[in-house]
Amino acid sequence: MTDTSPSAEAAPGLPRLRSALTTFPPYIPGKPPAEVPGLTPYKLSSNENHLPPLPAVLETMAAHAVAPAAYPDDAAAALRRELADRLGVGTDNLVVTTGASELLVALTQITSDATTEAIYPWPSFEMYPQTTGLAGSTRIEVPLRSDGTHDLAAMAAAITEATSLIILCSPNNPTGPVLRDAEVREFLTAVPDHVVVALDEAYWEFANTPGAVDGLELVADHPNVVLLRTFSKAHGLAGLRVGYGVGHPSVIAGLLKAVIPFGVTDLSQAAALESLRHWDEVIDRARQIATIRDGFAAGLRTQGWEVPEAQGNFVWLPLGPLSDAFEDACVAAAIAVRNLGDGVRISIGPPEALDRVLEVAAAFRAEHFG
Ligand SMILES: *Cc1c(COP(=O)(O)O)cnc(C)c1O
């Protein structure tokens, strides 16, 4: 289990890379849509926000595109202060990163190595195998239940002396359900205090299920819980790469040693700050997207699809072996969806795009399920 042995991929004459690299697949980004004559193409494969950024954010970006010679504020002090006020935490509870992705990498780096084990649900966010695999830790992928929810009992049962990191994802990407507050609190009673629990809330703004876990309250009660959040989804700023973590000051101090210095540009910090100042509008737009999502999921269920509880800005179709065929049908309709092998994830987009998916889905059912 040591990572100093030669990579299985190492060929004579080529540089030797860590063997850990052979244990997980590369991250595969969502594809762009295909060109189909006469059809407007739609990219519903990356869970991006299809609404344009708020006008005030665009104005701020224009004003901040002026000083590329200078490094940004490494501490992201203004943004952290605004986040602290907004979330009711201290600035020492916060770290700002280049997307939640960097936070995941840093969190894995400070908890995991070749002697430790990481537990996470599966299927879930594709970066979990990547970051934990890269750290060299043993990956324990706990299958979701058939309704797309975490199997917290199985995750608790998977904890060993070597467990250093547990990742939870609510709403879960790609299946959609949220974790309930009560079940997470019960789960945490089974987790030793020294084990870090990452709660990935990349999509929390879109959730509207009563009783959904509230990460901020958990962090206040449990020093081993770290929250992962991002400006990429509800704030619609995926291209600017800003995320943040909320956790106990001791964990935050560790993370600050692992993140890349000056990673978040001045432009990105300023845009995120401006977006926070328009919090109500951001939340309101997330609610609009959630309403569209609920209608889309209902439309699919009416057709007969078994759609798990959808609480992010996406809907999951558990197609199993028919995933490729469904993706192909969407490609032919100039729609890019995310085919993850055991199902297809469809991001919420403009109504005309979702109407087209509903047409494709109805025709697909007629063809494959008669
Ligand atoms: C999109 C996403 C993230 C983070 O994305 P960033 O753009 O790096 O902030 C984290 N977790 C999940 C589950 C996601 O879907």
Side-chain angles (χ1 to χ4, degrees), residues 329-355:
C330 291
V331 168
I335 304 264
V337 295
R338 190 78 167 85
N339 176 6
L340 290 158
D342 37 15
V344 167
R345 191 192 67 197
I346 306 156
S347 308
I348 298 307
E352 58 270 28
L354 300 179
D355 287 347

Side-chain angles (χ1 to χ4, degrees), residues 98-101 125 128 169 173 200 202-203 230 232-233 241-243:
T98 58
S101 299
F125 188 38
Y128 304 158
C169 188
N173 175 9
D200 188 339
Y203 301 97
T230 180
S232 294
K233 309 287 163 51
R241 316 302 306 125
V242 198

Side-chain angles (χ1 to χ4, degrees), residues 245-332:
V246 189
H248 189 270
S250 63
V251 181
I252 297 297
L255 286 167
L256 287 170
K257 287 185 164 183
V259 296
I260 295 170
F262 307 116
V264 185
T265 66
D266 181 58
L267 178 70
S268 300
Q269 292 182 32
L273 177 59
E274 189 64 25
S275 197
L276 274 184
R277 290 184 175 142
H278 296 267
W279 179 269
D280 291 346
E281 280 167 81
V282 170
I283 294 296
D284 187 56
R285 284 161 34 127
R287 290 218 178 100
Q288 288 173 34
I289 289 170
T291 302
I292 296 170
R293 170 204 67 210
D294 290 343
F296 179 57
L300 287 166
R301 291 187 188 111
T302 302
Q303 291 182 6
W305 295 96
E306 272 187 40
V307 180
E309 176 185 73
Q311 288 288 292
N313 64 344
F314 54 87
V315 167
W316 174 248
L317 287 182
L319 281 146
L322 287 174
S323 299
D324 287 355
F326 188 88
E327 182 191 16
D328 290 347
C330 291
V331 168

Side-chain angles (χ1 to χ4, degrees), residues 68-145:
Y71 281 113
D73 173 14
D74 184 46
L79 178 53
R80 274 172 51 242
R81 212 161 31 242
E82 185 76 20
L83 277 168
D85 289 349
R86 181 61 65 184
L87 305 177
V89 300
T91 51
D92 60 349
N93 293 117
L94 288 165
V95 58
V96 171
T97 52
T98 58
S101 299
E102 189 198 12
L103 179 57
L104 259 178
V105 175
L107 195 58
T108 313
Q109 292 282 310
I110 67 168
T111 56
S112 308
D113 60 27
T115 70
T116 63
E117 297 176 5
I119 300 171
Y120 53 84
W122 200 254
S124 194
F125 188 38
E126 286 171 287
M127 273 199 72
Y128 304 158
Q130 184 184 6
T131 61
T132 55
L134 194 56
S137 62
T138 301
R139 298 182 286 121
I140 314 291
E141 296 185 342
V142 177
L144 297 174
R145 295 186 291 207

